[in-house]
Amino acid sequence: MDAQGRGRAGGIDPADQWVFDPKTGSYELRLDEAGEPSAPAGTPTAPAARRTRPRPAPRPVPGQRSGAAGRRTGVGKSAGADRRRPKPKKRTGRKKALIWTGGTLAFVLVGGSVGAYLLYEHLNGNIDKVDVGIDNAAVTKGPVNILVIGTDKRSGKGNTGYGDDGSVGHADTTVLFHVSEDRSNATALSIPRDMITDIPDCPTKSGGTTKTIPGSRNVRFNESLGQEDRDPGCTWRTVEQLTGLKVTHFMMADFNAVKQLSSAVGGVEVCLGKDIDDPKSHLKLSKGRHEIQGEDALAFVRTRHSVGFESDLDRIKLQQQFLSSMIRKMKSGDTLTNPKKLYDLGDAATKSLTVDTGIDSVGKLASLGKELSKVNLKNITFATLPVIDNPADGKVHKTVVLDKAKADPLLAMVRQDVSLTEVKAKEKKAQEDADARQQALLQGPKAEPANVRVRVFNGSRRMGAAQEAVAWMQNSKGMTRTSNGGNATGGKTDKTVLEFAPNQADQARRLADAMGLPADALRQTGGDAPPKAEMKLTLGADFKGAGTPVSAPAPSKAPEGVQKIEADDENVCAK
């Protein structure tokens, strides 16, 4: 039996039935001698997988007859030689990238669970989906925000026996994984489950009908899922309201995922600063480093009564350590070059995975994985949304509330793609130079208001924002040559952006001055525009209203006291 408990027909490892095709840069099922693909035992075979590739017709040899006569004169031997598989071509950089990204759609989730998604085409049927009423494309321009949810669901195979059996599953662990627009950095922001917040009204689809579940005020964040039949779309909308970030997709998994995935990669290394013996999570480990998997891995990400102040915030630190180590293991050569591990990862992940309709297939998930894998591991930072004890609890602290003094600047950094990673001097200098070049766009002469030509598009979350901005520009700022372009083509966006040509720079500076646009909102194109061409202004979620500066520059460093872990740091130990 293999790691997932399935038999191996004829002693063949399912992973060994996948071979790399250098022409496509991807894996496919190996054909047996009869020309039939050998699907992994116990795995449903899709109709497409059962189709065989036709053998190429023999090439005619000059001066020779084909068919039976050809075989008598030795043509059959020549034709057979022609059918021999050509020598593999040397892998190009692009093909190497395809090998990497095809095996590393790794998104993780714990606290309940950890999800990592390496996908093969025949695993499509494993994926569950929920229509949350928002159908974004798998890959979009601009920043990407993946909402990763770990539910404490205690029903179904592998999820029982942890207390409170039969629980519908709440948002036990929630991580908002933000990837910057230029894919240079990423921030994984943990949201405490016991934080008191407001949950908005939530349209939920079920059985072909849509009903709106009323929102709730001053309740635990984890009630955004499961409570009152709320689906992941309710958590999605709660996170958007809380952070001001537009969620792109969600991924959700349960208890069983962390057990199967940690086993599939051959264990995940963790570090403890002291002995832990927690009878509630059943974690018993000595001080030092351990490679854990299965039940031990689940116990590690669930424990909290033997670390720190025994709070959910201390448990989040353990989860972030585990996630960082899991990502390092999955991106290691030991995993990427091992077909057995790749197969087990794909099978375990897709069986544990629930997603939105925008990424509900292998192809869509692979496209997303290729895009997100552009982020270097050293520029991924895990952080926790700052909170303080809830004053309403009195002496017994059961819940927390948002610490706005720290959360506001932290969220501003995430919204404006400012990395939380402590960069090296060389990288810092390069970033400072880039910032200086961007800031220089605001320096120079400004056009007269009447000469500003701009078409305004609404990509914010406010209905009528484009017309509001145009009316304000015309009536209050004298920019009479402005127009309303309607809704932005790409839908809602986090940040306001002004696109202009070099010969429109004076107009751009006038508009930026009037609206309070930061330097990073300006996008200058390469060539000059025609004399009466319009600039393009797309309003984002940071547009709060006409006359209000769009956004102040985000701080360059996270506030003191914000808990964070860098994904490539192997020296983190729980205390």
Side-chain angles (χ1 to χ4, degrees):
M1 302 293 285
D2 67 10
Q4 303 306 322
R6 289 179 299 279
R8 296 175 181 171
I12 298 175
D13 190 324
D16 293 336
Q17 295 171 311
W18 289 92
V19 294
F20 179 76
D21 186 342
K23 294 182 180 179
T24 63
S26 62
Y27 287 89
E28 61 183 36
L29 288 174
R30 176 187 296 162
L31 301 179
D32 62 20
E33 292 183 358
E36 292 293 333
S38 302
T43 302
T45 307
R50 286 194 290 269
R51 291 195 294 269
T52 61
R53 293 176 294 181
R55 295 183 182 273
R59 296 178 182 176
V61 179
Q64 299 289 349
R65 297 167 59 192
S66 60
R71 286 194 294 273
R72 285 193 298 270
T73 59
V75 175
K77 184 177 180 180
S78 299
D82 287 341
R83 288 197 299 268
R84 289 173 185 166
R85 188 173 298 174
K87 293 182 180 180
K89 297 178 180 179
K90 186 176 181 180
R91 292 173 182 169
T92 64
R94 178 177 178 274
K95 289 173 181 174
K96 290 178 181 178
L98 288 172
I99 298 170
W100 177 268
T101 57
T104 57
L105 179 51
F107 259 44
V108 281
L109 163 72
V110 293
S113 38
V114 172
Y117 317 112
L118 174 121
L119 307 166
Y120 291 119
E121 290 186 10
H122 76 290
L123 300 178
N124 258 336
N126 287 348
I127 303 172
D128 289 329
K129 63 181 178 181
V130 173
D131 185 353
V132 298
I134 303 171
D135 193 17
N136 295 326
V139 178
T140 57
K141 293 181 180 179
V144 177
N145 295 297
I146 311 294
L147 182 62
V148 189
I149 305 171
T151 171
D152 58 356
K153 182 179 180 181
R154 287 170 166 85
S155 61
K157 185 178 180 180
N159 295 316
T160 58
Y162 302 105
D164 195 20
D165 284 352
S167 170
V168 295
H170 296 90
D172 192 59
T173 293
T174 304
V175 178
L176 183 61
F177 196 93
H178 171 84
V179 181
S180 65
E181 182 174 2
D182 62 4
R183 310 300 185 245
S184 66
N185 67 86
T187 299
L189 193 62
S190 296
I191 302 176
R193 66 177 187 179
D194 295 325
M195 183 180 66
I196 298 300
T197 190
D198 294 338
I199 299 173
D201 293 346
C202 178
T204 304
K205 294 186 177 183
S206 179
T209 61
T210 300
K211 66 175 182 178
T212 298
I213 301 174
S216 300
R217 293 180 59 82
N218 296 319
V219 295
R220 279 181 168 88
F221 173 83
N222 68 346
E223 293 184 21
S224 63
L225 178 68
Q227 200 82 2
E228 309 295 337
D229 293 327
R230 293 187 175 107
D231 69 6
C234 299
T235 306
W236 179 313
R237 291 170 174 84
T238 302
V239 169
E240 286 190 335
Q241 177 178 274
L242 178 65
T243 64
L245 289 157
K246 174 192 171 186
V247 174
T248 316
H249 298 291
F250 87 84
M251 297 177 178
M252 181 173 71
D254 54 26
F255 281 153
N256 209 35
V258 65
K259 294 186 292 184
Q260 292 191 350
L261 290 165
S262 59
S263 298
V265 297
V268 176
E269 185 179 79
V270 296
C271 181
L272 297 175
K274 64 177 183 179
D275 296 345
I276 289 184
D277 186 358
D278 184 353
K280 293 190 176 182
S281 70
H282 308 295
L283 179 67
K284 187 172 183 178
L285 290 175
S286 60
K287 176 182 177 180
R289 294 185 178 275
H290 302 269
E291 201 159 71
I292 58 175
Q293 57 183 285
E295 290 289 348
D296 284 342
L298 179 59
F300 183 86
V301 299
R302 292 184 65 234
T303 195
R304 61 171 175 162
H305 294 289
S306 299
V307 292
F309 295 101
E310 302 189 4
S311 70
D312 183 54
L313 299 180
D314 291 302
R315 188 182 68 159
I316 286 175
K317 296 177 184 178
L318 291 178
Q319 294 166 357
Q320 292 174 345
Q321 180 194 155
F322 184 88
L323 291 174
S324 298
S325 183
M326 182 88 165
I327 291 176
R328 292 195 298 270
K329 186 66 175 284
M330 291 186 68
K331 282 200 168 190
S332 70
D334 179 56
T335 299
L336 293 176
T337 59
N338 188 324
K340 174 68 167 62
K341 287 186 179 181
L342 294 182
Y343 174 82
D344 287 346
L345 271 171
D347 190 62
T350 51
K351 284 182 177 178
S352 306
L353 177 63
T354 300
V355 300
D356 61 279
T357 53
I359 49 173
D360 61 357
S361 72
V362 167
K364 294 175 182 178
L365 280 165
S367 295
L368 179 62
K370 181 179 180 180
E371 185 72 9
L372 301 184
S373 68
K374 296 175 182 178
V375 183
N376 193 305
L377 181 66
K378 68 180 181 179
N379 293 328
I380 299 175
T381 307
F382 286 85
T384 303
L385 190 64
V387 292
I388 56 176
D389 290 330
N390 185 4
D393 286 344
K395 294 182 179 180
V396 180
H397 301 301
K398 297 180 179 179
T399 60
V400 293
V401 295
L402 191 68
D403 184 352
K404 285 186 65 63
K406 294 179 180 177
D408 285 350
L410 174 63
L411 289 172
M413 291 180 70
V414 177
R415 285 193 293 265
Q416 297 185 37
D417 288 351
V418 179
S419 176
L420 300 187
T421 305
E422 297 294 337
V423 297
K424 296 179 181 178
K426 184 177 180 181
E427 294 170 325
K428 185 175 182 180
K429 178 64 167 57
Q431 183 60 51
E432 288 174 346
D433 290 345
D435 291 343
R437 289 193 297 271
Q438 193 67 28
Q439 193 69 33
L441 295 175
L442 294 174
Q443 308 303 316
K446 300 179 180 66
E448 290 298 319
N451 293 331
V452 174
R453 298 176 184 270
V454 63
R455 184 175 291 268
V456 183
F457 295 86
N458 186 10
S460 73
R461 297 176 176 83
R462 301 176 63 248
M463 186 177 297
Q467 184 54 43
E468 176 188 339
V470 169
W472 174 77
M473 291 175 191
Q474 293 178 346
N475 300 327
S476 300
K477 293 299 179 180
M479 300 178 186
T480 55
R481 290 187 170 93
T482 55
S483 63
N484 183 354
N487 290 329
T489 304
K492 297 176 182 178
T493 183
D494 291 330
K495 299 188 296 184
T496 296
V497 173
L498 174 61
E499 300 172 62
F500 61 96
N503 60 337
Q504 296 172 318
D506 58 341
Q507 298 180 50
R509 285 190 282 267
R510 172 61 67 186
L511 184 59
D513 182 65
M515 295 189 64
L517 296 178
D520 63 0
L522 276 58
R523 299 286 188 274
Q524 182 172 285
T525 60
D528 285 347
K532 295 184 179 181
E534 293 176 302
M535 299 183 295
K536 180 181 178 181
L537 175 68
T538 303
L539 302 176
D542 54 1
F543 176 75
K544 304 303 181 184
T548 301
V550 168
S551 66
S556 59
K557 188 177 181 180
E560 291 293 328
V562 171
Q563 187 273 320
K564 57 189 180 76
I565 295 174
E566 294 180 9
D568 66 338
D569 188 352
E570 300 180 9
N571 299 313
V572 177
C573 282
K575 298 179 180 180

